[in-house]
Every structure is written in C-alpha cells, then in structure tokens.
Amino acid sequence: GRDAFNSILKLDTRSNLPFNPMINAGAIQTVSQLADNFSFEDMLGFARDFCIDPDITLDEDVYRSESKTGDRNRAISYLLKSKNVLQSDPERTIDLYFKMCSLSVTAKSLAGLGIIIANAGMNPFNGKHLIAPDYVRTIRSIMFTCGMYDFSGEYGVRVGVPSKSGVGGGLCCAA
C-alpha cells in the first residue's frame, strides 16, 4: 500500500532504515548525519549556495509552528534512535530539520537548485562545483522515482523530468 510522506509504519515493521531520503523519515536521518558537524548557519550557507540565492532566510513563524506541531516528526527521530539508526541527538537533529524545513525559498531559489542539479552539481555562473556528479545522478534518480510521492510514476511518464514537490507548493525540476 501507499504510505503518507510522514509515515512511520515501515520503519517499525520492515527495516531499521528509511527507504526514501525525500520523505520525512529519510530526511530526518539525513539531517542526523549532519547535525553533529554543521550548525544551522553552515546549513543555511549551503542552501544559499545550492539555490544560488543569498537571500534565503529562516522564516521564524514557520519554524515556531513546525516546532510546536511536529510531534510526528519528533516521534520519527526517536524511533530511528531506538533502532540505533539515528546516531545524533534526536532533539538536535529534529531542531535542525525543523529549521531547514522553514527556510524562506522562492521559485527563483528552486530554479537555482534545479540549475545546479541539471548541471551535474556545478554552478554555471561561477564554475563552482557544489555536488559530485555521481551524487547528482543519484539525486536525480530519486527525484524521478519518488520526488512526487504517489504521483511519481504517472508524473514520470507524462512529464519525464526529475522533480521534487514540497509541502509549501514549490516544485524543483532538473532536466
């Protein structure tokens, strides 16, 4: 069956590892790999570089709302910790996750990210390599196969472009 983007069902019944880094459990696990080594300011700088947008900031209202209502995501982090998958502190991980989910990006920001991904990880405006081409190929494959959630298969056939939708209505594509 189909699972919601914030489902914990398969984590507790099939495997210790999240299957998809583009849904909540996988994203939380990914953030846990970064939380001990990078501050929010570091991650904000990366986001600005990856999106070719120096104006990205934290939306404090969204962050407070995420923190206040994010019990399911908090539960995911603690479930991953209980299975010895999440190696970082669950509260530090989930706080960084909530902050990264609360960045004020625009359509231009998402287009910048699409440009980086479409150009094998390189910013074409300054020649700076931000992501290794092998990683970009993996990112594009995951975007194509599951970046549009339950609609990914039909979207792949109809549109044929690696894409990722977001809960805020944004869409990042990388042809």
Side-chain angles (χ1 to χ4, degrees), residues 15 19 35 42 46 55 66 72 74 86 88 97 110 112 115 118 120 123:
S15 170
F19 289 101
D42 294 331
F46 292 140
D55 297 325
E66 285 285 315
R72 188 172 201 71
R74 208 170 267 108
L86 190 117
S88 181
Y97 173 79
L110 296 175
I115 288 169
N123 180 328

Side-chain angles (χ1 to χ4, degrees), residues 42-113:
D42 294 331
M43 296 302 296
L44 178 59
F46 292 140
R48 289 172 174 164
D49 286 347
F50 289 137
C51 293
I52 316 174
D53 185 351
D55 297 325
I56 294 174
T57 59
L58 176 68
D59 184 322
E60 294 283 346
D61 290 335
V62 172
Y63 168 65
R64 279 191 296 277
S65 176
E66 285 285 315
S67 294
K68 184 178 178 181
T69 63
D71 291 340
R72 188 172 201 71
N73 288 322
R74 208 170 267 108
I76 289 170
S77 71
Y78 278 97
L79 178 60
L80 290 170
K81 180 69 173 178
S82 76
K83 293 172 152 275
N84 293 317
V85 173
L86 190 117
Q87 298 299 314
S88 181
D89 173 68
E91 286 299 323
R92 181 175 40 244
T93 295
I94 205 67
D95 187 64
L96 182 57
Y97 173 79
F98 288 151
K99 285 179 178 174
M100 294 308 294
C101 289
S102 302
L103 296 182
S104 60
V105 298
T106 64
K108 183 179 175 184
S109 310
L110 296 175
L113 179 58

